[in-house]
């Protein structure tokens, strides 16, 4: 009787050990593969298109987008991920600032994405609203892509856990940049330039890096979950 019980315990322990080994190996290989991923980071606006404007300081959204995008590129590169930026300077992508510049700018971004065939596109923007109380970072995605939805959820969860005062949901967004290619794409609206507190925070290097760190964590989670699936 005792012998039988011991062998049952032994079998349970062996199964448990093998399961843990299997999960461990899967996790390790997911981590290794994350290193081969490519992310296109798109700093929204630029050049003559400043985007939203801070109500108190007059700061341009385009400049905050660039600072967060640069910090995000740095963090992803440090993790071994290939980070490609649509713009890494204050300039727009439209060429001459003549009629039709916005269209040319957006098409240039699309071409960069198509040339890179990335695993994920993350477009960085800042939000604004008529009232001044709305705040928080929110992710938008194209509803036709389940991968985009998954990535948006992973990034939103991290933002809710580390920067948002209250929980926000990732939402469908009918934006050119998330639907111009078939690659998984999200927009991160990092905060509201119509909210005085966020307008100030978004201009500090510390908060810009915190946002970048948080978005990077969401990206890693998305890659790990899709690779482990
Ligand atoms: Zn914008």
């Amino acid at each position: 009787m005792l012998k039988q019980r011991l062998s049952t315990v032994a079998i349970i322990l062996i199964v448990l050990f093998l399961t843990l080994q299997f999960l461990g190996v899967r996790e390790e290989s997911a981590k290794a593969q994350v290193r081969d991923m490519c992310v296109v980071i798109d700093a929204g606006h630029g050049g003559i298109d400043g985007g939203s404007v801070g109500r108190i300081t007059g700061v341009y959204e385009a400049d905050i987008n660039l600072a967060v995008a640069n910090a995000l590129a740095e963090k992803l590169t440090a993790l071994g991920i290939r980070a490609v930026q649509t713009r890494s300077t204050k300039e727009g992508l439209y060429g001459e600032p003549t009629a039709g510049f916005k269209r040319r700018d957006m098409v240039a971004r699309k071409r960069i994405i198509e040339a890179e065939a990335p695993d994920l596109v993350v477009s960085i923007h800042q939000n604004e609203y008529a009232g001044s109380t709305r705040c928080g970072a929110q992710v938008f995605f194209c509803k036709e892509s389940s991968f985009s939805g998954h990535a948006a959820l992973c990034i939103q969860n991290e933002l809710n856990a580390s920067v948002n005062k209250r929980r926000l949901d990732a939402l469908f967004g009918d934006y050119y940049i998330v639907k111009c290619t078939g690659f998984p794409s999200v927009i991160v609206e990092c905060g509201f330039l119509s909210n005085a507190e966020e307008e100030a925070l978004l201009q500090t290097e510390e908060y810009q890096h915190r946002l970048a760190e948080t978005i990077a964590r969401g990206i890693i989670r998305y890659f790990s979950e899709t690779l482990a699936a």
Side-chain angles (χ1 to χ4, degrees):
M1 191 62 182
L2 181 66
K3 229 178 182 180
Q4 205 175 1
R5 204 173 284 169
L6 278 176
S7 60
T8 311
V9 170
I11 289 169
I12 292 171
L13 284 174
I14 289 168
V15 169
L16 192 67
F17 175 75
L18 289 175
T19 308
L20 287 173
Q21 284 285 311
F22 175 68
L23 288 176
V25 166
R26 255 187 18 169
E27 181 134 311
E28 273 310 305
S29 74
K31 257 186 212 157
Q33 287 174 53
V34 159
R35 298 182 68 85
D36 302 325
M37 297 305 216
C38 172
V39 176
V40 168
I41 303 168
D42 173 56
H45 312 280
I48 57 169
D49 171 19
S52 303
V53 179
R55 286 202 187 150
I56 293 165
T57 62
V59 66
Y60 287 116
E61 177 197 347
D63 294 337
I64 300 174
N65 295 345
L66 181 61
V68 176
N70 285 345
L72 179 58
E74 209 176 276
K75 294 192 195 295
L76 293 182
T77 305
L79 292 164
I81 292 171
R82 196 160 66 85
V84 178
Q85 292 181 259
T86 54
R87 71 174 176 104
S88 53
T89 70
K90 284 175 178 273
E91 301 307 313
L93 285 83
Y94 43 76
E96 292 301 312
T98 49
F101 79 92
K102 186 68 185 170
R103 170 94 199 136
R104 290 199 300 280
D105 181 85
M106 295 311 288
V107 170
R109 291 169 202 257
K110 177 187 173 183
R111 291 213 179 105
I112 293 171
I113 297 168
E114 282 172 339
E116 297 298 335
D119 299 286
L120 183 64
V121 178
V122 179
S123 185
I124 304 291
H125 284 258
Q126 312 303 318
N127 222 333
E128 66 173 336
Y129 193 67
S132 61
T133 52
R134 266 195 202 193
C135 62
Q138 193 159 28
V139 187
F140 294 85
F141 61 99
C142 167
K143 69 174 167 189
E144 276 77 35
S145 162
S146 61
F147 283 105
S148 301
H150 187 179
L153 192 69
C154 290
I155 298 171
Q156 186 69 62
N157 283 343
E158 294 295 335
L159 291 166
N160 285 338
S162 68
V163 299
N164 285 351
K165 283 184 186 149
R166 65 179 185 88
R167 214 192 136 71
L168 292 175
D169 290 321
L171 298 176
F172 295 146
D174 188 25
Y175 299 108
Y176 178 87
I177 201 78
V178 294
K179 60 179 190 180
C180 66
T181 70
F183 302 104
S185 308
V186 299
I187 289 182
V188 183
E189 298 272 4
C190 300
F192 282 78
L193 289 180
S194 44
N195 176 274
E197 195 185 332
E198 282 195 342
E199 181 183 345
L201 261 181
L202 287 163
Q203 292 181 68
T204 67
E205 208 173 308
E206 194 208 336
Y207 196 68
Q208 291 162 354
H209 277 263
R210 202 165 129 207
L211 281 164
E213 185 81 54
T214 306
I215 296 166
R217 261 205 312 278
I219 293 171
I220 297 294
R221 175 161 291 275
Y222 164 67
F223 283 156
S224 306
E225 286 182 9
T226 32
L227 288 169

